[in-house]
């Protein structure tokens, strides 16, 4: 079986590219990112976040992925660079990464961030790395655009490991079957026919163990509310 996440290079190899940064008055992420993370996208991973190119964004499947990004100028940059979380889509000047100002500065050696900023665009190399969120399990946030009880949109938060969410389904107890949810955009899945009572969800995940389904029984209460994130017992690796 060919895994859906298979790339033409090993995930342990660094890939050469370019990176820049976006303007932000507080150096944090943006709540308007294409992944639909909202405020979570501003501060997750200590605001070390990035918008990525089409080939890494993957029509939203790449949302929540983590990468190690390091610039290749040894006079200015550290060997380790920075680990970022994908929260947005964006391209410019042949870049794969548009980093938050905080993430961009953390590629630099101590006290040399201002010199790195002056470059604007730098040569980098990157590789996929596992996401790690100590103390957090997978959360399902009811998107602010949801309208109880007729329209439910969810976004997955704290997606650990080297995983990608390929598909989402909701359990319809009346007909005793899983019904597909639409990927509305980014990491947001929705349905115009949410079940009454507790909401059970399952997700098709691509990761180190291949492609598999992860189920979250009673992931949302029957009286779910827009804007609220509900923690699950699910842990991805």
């Amino acid at each position: 079986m060919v895994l859906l996440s298979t790339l033409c290079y090993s995930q342990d190899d660094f890939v050469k590219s370019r990176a820049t940064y976006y303007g932000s008055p507080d150096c944090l992420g943006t709540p308007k990112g294409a992944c639909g993370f909202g405020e979570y996208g501003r501060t997750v991973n200590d605001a070390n976040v990035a918008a990525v190119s089409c080939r890494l964004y993957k029509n939203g499947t790449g949302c929540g992925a983590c990468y190690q990004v390091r610039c290749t100028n040894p006079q200015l940059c550290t060997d380790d660079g920075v680990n970022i979380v994908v929260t947005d889509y964006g391209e410019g000047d042949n870049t794969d990464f548009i980093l938050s100002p905080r993430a961009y500065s953390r590629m630099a050696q101590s006290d040399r961030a201002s010199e790195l900023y002056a470059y604007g665009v730098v040569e980098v190399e990157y590789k996929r790395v596992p996401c790690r969120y100590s103390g957090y399990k997978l959360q399902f946030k009811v998107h602010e655009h949801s309208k109880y009880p007729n329209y439910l949109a969810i976004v997955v938060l704290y997606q650990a490991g080297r995983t990608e969410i390929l598909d989402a389904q909701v359990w319809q107890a009346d007909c005793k079957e899983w019904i597909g949810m639409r990927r509305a955009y980014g990491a947001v899945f929705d349905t115009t026919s949410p079940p009454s009572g507790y909401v059970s969800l399952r997700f098709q995940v691509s990761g180190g163990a291949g492609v598999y389904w992860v189920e979250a029984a009673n992931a949302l209460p029957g009286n779910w509310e827009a804007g609220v994130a509900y923690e699950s017992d699910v842990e991805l690796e």
Side-chain angles (χ1 to χ4, degrees):
M1 180 176 69
V2 178
L3 302 184
L4 297 183
S5 61
T6 297
L7 301 176
C8 59
Y9 54 87
S10 167
Q11 293 192 55
D12 293 323
D13 294 335
F14 278 97
V15 180
K16 294 187 181 301
S17 185
R18 287 155 61 86
T20 184
Y21 63 95
Y22 55 80
S24 170
D26 54 13
C27 294
L28 304 182
T30 170
K32 298 180 180 179
C35 289
F37 289 142
E39 286 298 316
Y40 167 89
R42 294 188 71 243
T43 58
V44 65
N45 193 39
D46 197 24
N48 292 304
V49 297
V52 294
S53 65
C54 180
R55 65 173 172 166
L56 299 181
Y57 183 70
K58 304 176 186 178
N59 291 320
T61 302
C63 290
C66 292
Y67 291 90
Q68 180 184 358
V69 184
R70 61 189 189 188
C71 73
T72 56
N73 184 329
Q75 282 73 44
L76 288 178
C77 301
T78 65
D79 292 336
D80 293 333
V82 63
N83 286 5
I84 61 91
V85 177
V86 174
T87 60
D88 202 355
Y89 164 78
E91 299 187 56
D93 199 8
N94 296 315
T95 61
D96 275 312
F97 296 91
I98 304 178
L99 302 169
S100 67
R102 178 171 296 184
Y104 189 87
S105 68
R106 288 185 176 174
M107 292 193 297
Q109 294 181 17
S110 178
D111 300 325
R112 305 201 68 176
S114 60
E115 295 177 64
L116 192 63
Y117 280 132
Y119 276 81
V121 178
V122 292
E123 302 294 321
V124 299
E125 52 187 19
Y126 70 90
K127 68 176 180 179
R128 184 76 183 271
V129 294
C131 297
R132 304 192 188 282
Y133 300 106
S134 178
Y136 289 93
K137 294 182 179 179
L138 210 64
Q139 292 186 9
F140 307 116
K141 180 185 176 183
V142 179
H143 196 276
E144 289 83 354
H145 291 167
S146 297
K147 302 292 184 184
Y148 182 86
N150 299 314
Y151 173 70
L152 172 63
I154 61 164
V155 59
V156 180
L157 309 181
Y158 299 109
Q159 177 184 327
R162 282 199 262 196
T163 57
E164 294 180 348
I165 307 283
L166 306 178
D167 200 1
Q169 296 179 341
V170 62
W171 177 251
Q172 291 286 1
D174 292 345
C175 50
K176 292 182 169 53
E177 65 177 333
W178 291 100
I179 304 297
M181 301 182 76
R182 180 185 69 129
R183 185 186 290 274
Y185 66 94
V188 181
F189 294 88
D190 68 359
T191 177
T192 55
S193 301
S196 58
Y198 283 94
V199 179
S200 293
L201 304 165
R202 74 173 185 174
F203 299 87
Q204 188 181 46
V205 177
S206 172
V211 177
Y212 55 97
W213 286 92
V214 173
E215 183 175 336
N218 299 335
L220 308 180
N223 59 342
W224 49 264
E225 297 180 41
V228 177
Y230 299 92
E231 187 172 70
S232 74
D233 292 327
V234 176
E235 292 185 270
L236 298 180
E237 297 181 359

